[in-house]
């Protein structure tokens, strides 16, 4: 494992110097991010998977793509370049919990304010002491007991 890593580091250094890259930048990323050796790419440098968006903004020959002149292109460049989808960093659970609590408190406050500020009804509710039977002249409502009594008779 160590022999493979030394061989890979040597290949990385020779390829980097051959392509006129800024070796300090590449060595920094090489030390910061460990990459498993990939036997399928041959002598091409096994570069770390770092999106161009995550690299520093200043100090590049190509400022739009955040690359230096002659820098080797990653084998997954279409996924890691500046035109790839943006990296989404979700907030922690505490922040999300505070957001939900804020939403619930806001909705509850609005409901309470509206319920307290609502105007009274402009009319009086009608009250019928004997129900609507006398008022409307209808027949009394049938109950279940009445239906059973009629059925058994």
């Amino acid at each position: 494992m160590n022999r493979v890593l030394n061989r890979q580091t040597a290949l990385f250094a020779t390829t980097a110097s051959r392509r006129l890259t800024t070796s300090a930048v590449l060595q920094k990323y090489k030390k910061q991010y460990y990459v498993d050796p990939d036997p399928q790419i041959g002598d091409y440098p096994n570069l770390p998977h770092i999106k161009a968006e995550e690299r520093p903004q200043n100090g590049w020959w190509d400022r739009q793509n955040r690359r230096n002149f002659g820098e080797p292109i990653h084998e997954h460049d279409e996924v890691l370049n500046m035109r790839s989808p943006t990296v989404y960093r979700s907030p922690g659970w505490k922040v999300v919990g505070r957001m939900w609590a804020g939403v619930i408190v806001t909705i509850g406050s609005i409901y309470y304010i509206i319920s307290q500020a609502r105007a009274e009804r402009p009319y009086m509710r009608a009250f019928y002491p004997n129900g609507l039977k006398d008022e409307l002249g209808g027949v009394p409502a049938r109950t279940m007991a009445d239906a059973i009594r009629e059925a058994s008779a």
Side-chain angles (χ1 to χ4, degrees), residues 24-46:
V25 172
L26 292 176
Q27 289 297 333
K28 175 186 163 196
Y29 288 118
K30 180 70 176 170
K31 289 177 184 176
Q32 188 174 3
Y33 301 96
Y34 174 75
V35 180
D36 289 330
D38 186 3
Q40 296 180 354
I41 61 174
D43 64 344
Y44 197 76
N46 193 5

Side-chain angles (χ1 to χ4, degrees), residues 18-87:
R18 214 179 317 141
R19 296 184 189 243
L20 299 174
T21 60
T22 307
S23 62
V25 172
L26 292 176
Q27 289 297 333
K28 175 186 163 196
Y29 288 118
K30 180 70 176 170
K31 289 177 184 176
Q32 188 174 3
Y33 301 96
Y34 174 75
V35 180
D36 289 330
D38 186 3
Q40 296 180 354
I41 61 174
D43 64 344
Y44 197 76
N46 193 5
L47 301 173
H49 291 274
I50 302 170
K51 291 181 85 74
E53 179 182 6
E54 296 174 347
R55 293 173 121 185
Q57 293 180 358
N58 299 325
W60 303 101
W61 180 77
D62 181 5
R63 289 182 287 176
Q64 179 178 355
N65 294 321
R66 297 182 184 170
R67 291 185 56 230
N68 285 325
F69 180 78
E71 184 175 322
I73 297 174
H74 198 280
E75 66 175 319
H76 301 294
D77 184 56
E78 67 279 355
V79 177
L80 301 173
N81 64 15
M82 288 298 285
R83 291 169 205 84
S84 63
T86 303
V87 177

